[in-house]
Amino acid sequence: MRVLLVDDEEELVSALAERLSIRGIKADWVTSGEDALKRIQSETYDLALLDVKLPRMSGLKLKKLLQEKNPELKFIFFTGHGSENDFKVGSAEAGAQYYLAKPVNIEVLVQKMNEVLEK
Amino acid sequence: MDWHHETSGWSGLQFFGKMSASISHEIKNALATINETAGLLEDLTFLAEKGKPLDSERLKTLSGRIMKQVRRADEIVKNMNRFAHSIDDSVKSVELGEVLKLMAALSERFASMRGITLEMNPPSSPVAITTDPFFLNHLLWRCVDFAMNAAGQGKTVGLLTEETENGPRIRFTRLEGLAEAPAGTFPAQGEKDLLDALKAELRVDAEAGELVLALSRDISP
């Protein structure tokens, strides 16, 4: 499994990538939507984990742009925002079960990743 | 309660809610980073138990990150507390630079989302005024919000307080896109109500690329 993690919190996303690597999941990380779009030009991923509220470009918009470049790519969203409206919009895109609230339990995240890829 | 508080009640509550939601988001991000970093420490300890050598420098770096995030969350909560207490007194003596600094801190996440830098210029000497702290916070947010939309290609909003011969004022500078902003849309009625309550005046200087907020030294009846 190859995963791209996108979150502007660098210390969060780098630690998460390392923890996934320890669990045998090859994870790269970037801190902006722009960098994610650049990265996907040269690398192939199975799944992208996107923060919903990214600077300059929402996670939902980024999903559409990434999907244009790689239609096979699967997605999981995670968010620090607790609003009901955000949950509705995000879960409508990803499916309620693939829309996770921060802080994320890594074992739950790995389980969700496997479920998304098996769908 | 006077008419200002009555008429500004709902929009003030919306402003309070918007800031509170943003603050909770920031705290969540700090907690999530602490969660992953502590989790990584746990993972490394587990690997050490299985025989992989533990790098003490790595442990120091990761524990340092946790402490940094705790300080970050502590600062966010302090700002939240200051903001919450701005509602306590309808008239109070405040230091203008401190109020602007707080509003800049509370606006930081909104600025970051829009790719804008807020450049705070501390005053050369403290500027004390007697005003309604919550209304002032609300008006400053509305000005910052408008200024961020008018930042243009420069993507930077300068914030400064100053004492002039005509009284204290706050300037929102480097608004390169101000000339393109639709004329007459700002200040709108909501801002005008706050300006009235604060006995303040707002001037939009498109040529200089600035908003200039002239404040009363004392709004006590």
Side-chain angles (χ1 to χ4, degrees), chain B:
Chain B
M1 185 172 282
D2 65 19
W3 73 267
H4 291 300
H5 290 86
E6 294 286 351
T7 57
S8 299
W10 177 244
S11 67
L13 198 56
Q14 285 180 311
F15 162 62
F16 200 87
K18 190 179 182 76
M19 289 297 150
S20 300
S22 175
I23 289 164
S24 74
H25 197 145
E26 278 293 274
I27 294 171
K28 279 266 199 180
N29 272 331
L31 287 174
T33 305
I34 291 168
N35 183 61
E36 293 314 325
T37 313
L40 181 53
L41 280 171
E42 191 177 53
D43 289 349
L44 295 175
T45 308
F46 180 76
L47 292 176
E49 285 169 357
K50 301 281 178 192
K52 187 177 177 186
L54 205 51
D55 177 356
S56 63
E57 283 305 312
R58 194 77 213 288
L59 295 184
K60 269 193 232 169
T61 303
L62 293 175
S63 58
R65 282 186 184 182
I66 291 175
M67 286 189 275
K68 189 179 95 178
Q69 292 294 332
V70 169
R71 285 194 297 273
R72 173 191 176 191
D74 184 53
E75 194 57 38
I76 295 165
V77 172
K78 277 181 187 160
N79 285 336
M80 179 186 173
N81 189 269
R82 284 185 197 115
F83 178 58
H85 281 295
S86 71
I87 206 90
D88 290 353
D89 301 293
S90 58
V91 180
K92 189 182 175 187
S93 176
V94 298
E95 201 285 298
L96 215 43
E98 288 299 315
V99 177
L100 189 60
K101 198 168 130 191
L102 173 63
M103 191 42 59
L106 294 174
S107 305
E108 198 59 52
R109 211 182 68 79
F110 297 102
S112 163
M113 288 295 117
R114 296 190 211 178
I116 303 278
T117 301
L118 297 176
E119 190 182 83
M120 180 75 199
N121 302 282
S124 50
S125 56
V127 181
I129 67 169
T130 300
T131 191
D132 183 317
F134 183 68
F135 278 3
L136 181 57
N137 275 323
H138 189 178
L139 181 60
L140 290 179
W141 159 249
R142 282 170 175 254
C143 290
V144 169
D145 191 33
F146 175 78
M148 287 194 290
N149 286 334
Q153 295 300 314
K155 296 282 182 189
T156 298
V157 174
L159 305 167
L160 61 99
T161 59
E162 60 190 9
E163 187 76 78
T164 72
E165 58 185 24
N166 296 320
R169 66 183 194 176
I170 292 175
R171 284 165 51 209
F172 305 83
T173 64
R174 305 182 65 176
L175 309 184
E176 293 177 12
L178 198 55
E180 283 91 59
T185 55
F186 190 85
Q189 194 56 50
E191 289 84 36
K192 284 176 184 168
D193 287 346
L194 289 164
L195 287 165
D196 195 11
L198 295 168
K199 299 176 185 169
E201 287 176 12
L202 186 65
R203 185 165 54 85
V204 181
D205 187 342
E207 200 171 317
E210 290 189 5
L211 288 183
V212 182
L213 177 62
L215 292 155
S216 290
R217 193 171 303 284
D218 191 345
I219 66 159
S220 302

Side-chain angles (χ1 to χ4, degrees), chain A residues 38-95:
Chain A
K38 275 185 212 155
R39 184 63 71 95
I40 205 168
Q41 306 271 34
S42 56
E43 304 286 339
T44 304
Y45 296 98
D46 304 301
L47 191 146
L49 179 68
L50 308 181
D51 184 22
V52 177
K53 300 263 180 180
L54 286 166
R56 300 178 297 280
M57 184 189 302
S58 76
L60 300 178
K61 184 177 178 192
L62 178 61
K63 180 201 173 201
K64 288 183 174 63
L65 295 172
L66 290 172
Q67 227 163 11
E68 283 171 16
K69 293 180 187 295
N70 179 358
E72 301 299 314
L73 192 62
K74 307 279 196 219
F75 295 91
I76 292 179
F77 289 100
F78 68 153
T79 181
H81 209 279
S83 90
E84 196 176 335
N85 191 49
D86 270 23
F87 183 83
K88 279 182 189 162
V89 174
S91 58
E93 279 289 332

